[in-house]
């Protein structure tokens, strides 16, 4: 148990609590401590009955059963891997910026969920984070199952196809990819690579709640020049990252 506790405490702060909540709420629903109907996003109840907790609980809850257990574990693995890699990589030492990215993606997903009458938001948010990582490390070579190797920029679409095979649906994955692309485009691509207006910036109150820090584990893969310029501007001259050369899924 001490080894498990040490491993859990080694998870980066934001990812740790997201990961824990994504285990706790499905477990609470599975044990019947809370009726799962009260944990999912019913737009009618949220908008007209003021059940304001539903967008939050539907982000962490997933119905675990014989037909959904494998899909849940796979996405829990993606949450741990890619949220950790972003938090200790491109957003290393900048927790406020990472929280802002999660909040922006989450708000977009909640709005989409209300419009499309979605009940579960866990997979879209996880996929949006995975998409951002894949774009910041787009030239990194990743290894998927059965020995397939390809650039990280294709990973979200490979996973979309994989989830379609095991679950028969791709709406959640597609929404996550589109929201992740929206954040990446507005934060990096449009203002820095295309010279457009900057539409996104982290609110100051998040910096007060999550102050920048120095140190930590360096990132994975090579971000685009635009991402490196953003880090230089926010962290100051002299900061360097030791970016890796790729990884194998599951290592």
């Amino acid at each position: 148990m001490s080894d498990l506790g040490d491993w859990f405490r080694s998870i980066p702060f934001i990812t740790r609590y997201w990961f824990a909540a994504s285990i706790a709420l499905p477990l609470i629903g599975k044990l019947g401590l809370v009726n799962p109907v009260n944990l999912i996003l019913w737009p009618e109840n949220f908008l007209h009955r003021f059940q304001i907790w539903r967008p939050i609980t539907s982000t962490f809850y997933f119905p675990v059963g014989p037909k959904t257990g494998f899909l849940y574990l796979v996405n829990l693995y993606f949450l741990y891997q890619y949220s950790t890699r972003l938090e200790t990589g491109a957003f290393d030492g900048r927790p406020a910026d990472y929280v802002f990215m999660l909040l922006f993606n989450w708000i977009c997903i909640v709005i989409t969920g209300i419009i499309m009458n979605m009940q579960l938001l866990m997979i879209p948010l996880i996929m949006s984070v995975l998409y951002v990582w894949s774009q910041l490390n787009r030239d990194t070579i990743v290894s998927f199952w059965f020995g397939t190797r390809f650039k990280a920029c294709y990973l979200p679409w490979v996973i979309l196809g994989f989830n379609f095979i095991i679950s028969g649906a791709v709406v959640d994955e597609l929404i996550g990819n589109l929201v992740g692309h929206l954040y990446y485009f507005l934060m990096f691509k449009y203002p820095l690579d295309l010279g457009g207006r900057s539409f996104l910036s982290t609110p100051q109150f998040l910096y007060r709640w999550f102050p920048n820090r120095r140190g930590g584990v360096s990132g994975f893969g090579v971000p685009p020049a635009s991402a490196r310029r953003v880090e230089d501007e926010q962290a100051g001259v002299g900061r360097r990252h030791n970016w890796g050369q790729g990884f194998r899924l599951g290592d």
Side-chain angles (χ1 to χ4, degrees):
M1 292 298 294
S2 61
D3 292 340
L4 182 61
D6 291 341
W7 168 80
F8 180 73
R9 286 188 290 272
S10 71
I11 302 174
F13 175 77
I14 299 168
T15 302
R16 184 192 315 161
Y17 285 97
W18 183 11
F19 185 79
S22 298
I23 293 178
L25 261 70
L27 183 60
I28 289 172
K30 186 68 175 179
L31 296 177
L33 301 177
V34 176
N35 190 336
V37 173
N38 294 321
L39 300 176
I40 62 179
L41 177 63
W42 287 112
E44 178 70 20
N45 290 20
F46 169 63
L47 294 174
H48 301 292
R49 299 183 182 180
F50 302 103
Q51 297 178 358
I52 59 175
W53 66 85
R54 289 185 178 273
I56 299 174
T57 57
S58 62
T59 303
F60 303 118
Y61 174 71
F62 194 87
V64 180
K67 295 183 179 180
T68 61
F70 180 69
L71 179 63
Y72 167 71
L73 291 176
V74 167
N75 282 278
L76 197 65
Y77 166 80
F78 290 151
L79 186 164
Y80 167 73
Q81 284 288 339
Y82 294 101
S83 181
T84 296
R85 293 178 188 277
L86 267 185
E87 190 174 350
T88 60
F91 292 93
D92 180 35
R94 300 188 290 117
D97 296 328
Y98 188 55
V99 170
F100 174 69
M101 185 201 74
L102 291 177
L103 286 175
F104 175 83
N105 290 0
W106 176 72
I107 290 172
C108 292
I109 290 169
V110 169
I111 294 173
T112 304
I114 292 173
I115 295 174
M116 299 184 62
N117 196 29
M118 298 168 59
Q119 281 76 53
L120 302 172
L121 307 181
M122 175 186 282
I123 292 178
L125 185 59
I126 293 172
M127 288 300 300
S128 72
V129 169
L130 187 150
Y131 185 93
V132 173
W133 179 89
S134 72
Q135 295 305 306
L136 292 175
N137 300 269
R138 58 183 301 111
D139 293 325
T140 300
I141 302 298
V142 298
S143 297
F144 203 58
W145 288 328
F146 309 113
T148 56
R149 294 171 60 85
F150 45 83
K151 289 186 177 182
C153 59
Y154 302 118
L155 181 60
W157 307 106
V158 172
I159 292 175
L160 184 148
F162 172 78
N163 283 356
F164 176 75
I165 293 173
I166 64 176
S167 68
V170 296
V171 174
D172 289 344
E173 292 79 6
L174 182 60
I175 290 174
N177 288 353
L178 293 177
V179 169
H181 180 76
L182 178 64
Y183 170 83
Y184 176 78
F185 181 81
L186 294 178
M187 179 60 76
F188 299 116
K189 191 70 176 177
Y190 184 67
L192 298 176
D193 291 345
L194 301 180
R197 174 185 174 186
S198 179
F199 290 98
L200 297 181
S201 63
T202 304
Q204 288 300 315
F205 74 87
L206 287 179
Y207 288 116
R208 291 194 294 269
W209 291 354
F210 304 96
N212 287 355
R213 54 178 172 76
R214 300 298 296 271
V217 181
S218 295
F220 297 80
V222 180
S226 59
R228 292 197 295 272
R229 289 197 295 272
V230 168
E231 291 188 354
D232 289 340
E233 291 173 1
Q234 295 185 347
V237 178
R239 179 174 177 174
R240 295 292 184 270
H241 286 288
N242 181 21
W243 302 98
Q245 298 300 319
F247 69 97
R248 179 179 295 276
L249 293 179
D251 288 350

